[in-house]
Amino acid sequence: PVSGFVREYGVKFPVAALAVVPRFTAERGMAVPTTVLVDKRGRIAAHIDGRFDKASLEQAISHLISE
């Protein structure tokens, strides 16, 4: 489960997990897991569906930090 992963790896950022997949998830084609990056203004800046590599995440975060 997600909570075990968060404890094991010492995740320090907010993590959300839904027990029930909402209807919009199926309609928008979102995958599990879905990573959502939020900018300084609290807007969704990017979302990544499914698995991805560390370099891609680092690049996306670096872009957000540079804004």
Side-chain angles (χ1 to χ4, degrees):
V2 173
S3 59
F5 177 89
V6 169
R7 275 193 305 277
E8 181 177 345
Y9 290 96
V11 174
K12 303 294 183 200
F13 50 84
V15 175
L18 301 174
V20 176
V21 178
R23 183 173 174 210
F24 77 88
T25 299
E27 292 172 354
R28 292 186 57 196
M30 295 174 68
V32 176
T34 296
T35 301
V36 178
L37 301 178
V38 180
D39 69 13
K40 296 174 189 176
R41 294 178 215 122
R43 299 179 301 181
I44 295 175
H47 77 270
I48 303 165
D49 292 336
R51 296 181 68 183
F52 57 93
D53 60 73
K54 181 179 176 182
S56 297
L57 180 60
E58 289 174 344
Q59 181 180 13
I61 291 171
S62 293
H63 177 74
L64 276 178
I65 292 171
S66 70
E67 289 183 340

